[in-house]
Amino acid sequence: MGEAGIVTDVVIVGGGPAGILLAHHFRQHGIRHKVLERGKVGQSWRDMRPGMVLLSPGVPGTDWTSLTLQHPIWSYPGVRRPFPTREDFLCYVEAFARDHGVEVVERTDVAGARRTSLVKSGTSAAARPVYAGRFMAGVSPRTNMLGGAL
């Protein structure tokens, strides 16, 4: 099956907030999964303007930014209130992944996907459903969710 030999129940394409949270829930329910990210964790956020301020509040009582309310962004020291910065959010997503044992295979380009296999730079991975956290070139956004017509 190629150099990586990935065999899992679910492949999550994208190590951003959605992919990290989905992996966290899969881990809680014992579902085998792999998270593949083209860059580093939260790469799409890294590509945004430094110092950018999020327009969604991350404070007790009005929290639209945290991945879960059990582990809110505002509980982390140094986070700008009421509106966190891009850097605050990246630190939070990285810490959330680390603290919850979410493993992300970084610097992994995904060339395409099918329901039973994933092609990653010449390597295939056997998995049933595939979730793409972001639009992949050549793949319709409508088919990115579990078991779609990828």
Side-chain angles (χ1 to χ4, degrees), residues 29 38 48 56-57 62 69 74 88 100 103 111 117-118 127 143 145:
H29 294 282
R38 68 179 166 90
M48 293 180 190
S56 54
T62 309
L69 294 179
W74 45 265
D88 292 334
H100 293 89
E103 296 179 29
S117 65
L118 182 89
T143 59
M145 206 46 194

Side-chain angles (χ1 to χ4, degrees), residues 8-147:
T8 188
D9 291 330
V10 180
V11 174
I12 301 169
V13 180
I20 297 293
L21 186 57
L22 185 59
H24 169 65
H25 288 298
F26 284 161
R27 188 168 190 267
Q28 285 182 319
H29 294 282
I31 298 170
R32 296 180 318 154
H33 63 278
K34 285 286 184 192
V35 181
L36 306 178
E37 169 56 52
R38 68 179 166 90
K40 296 181 71 172
V41 168
Q43 187 62 51
S44 294
W45 284 87
R46 292 174 193 285
D47 295 341
M48 293 180 190
R49 180 178 56 81
M52 180 185 79
V53 176
L54 280 67
L55 296 178
S56 54
V59 294
T62 309
D63 188 344
W64 301 344
T65 304
S66 298
L67 297 179
T68 70
L69 294 179
Q70 293 80 21
H71 306 282
I73 190 170
W74 45 265
S75 68
Y76 287 79
V79 172
R80 184 179 180 272
R81 293 182 188 200
F83 301 102
T85 64
R86 173 197 84 129
E87 291 76 14
D88 292 334
F89 191 66
L90 277 169
C91 288
Y92 169 68
V93 170
E94 287 175 335
F96 187 93
R98 181 187 62 244
D99 295 349
H100 293 89
V102 174
E103 296 179 29
V104 178
V105 181
E106 296 181 329
R107 294 177 177 76
T108 304
D109 289 324
V110 175
R114 288 183 295 279
R115 186 173 168 83
T116 56
S117 65
L118 182 89
V119 180
K120 136 187 133 53
S121 301
T123 301
S124 294
R128 287 188 298 270
V130 174
Y131 167 81
R134 279 198 55 151
F135 175 76
M136 293 183 342
V139 178
S140 166
R142 295 186 329 271
T143 59
N144 282 358
M145 206 46 194
L146 300 172

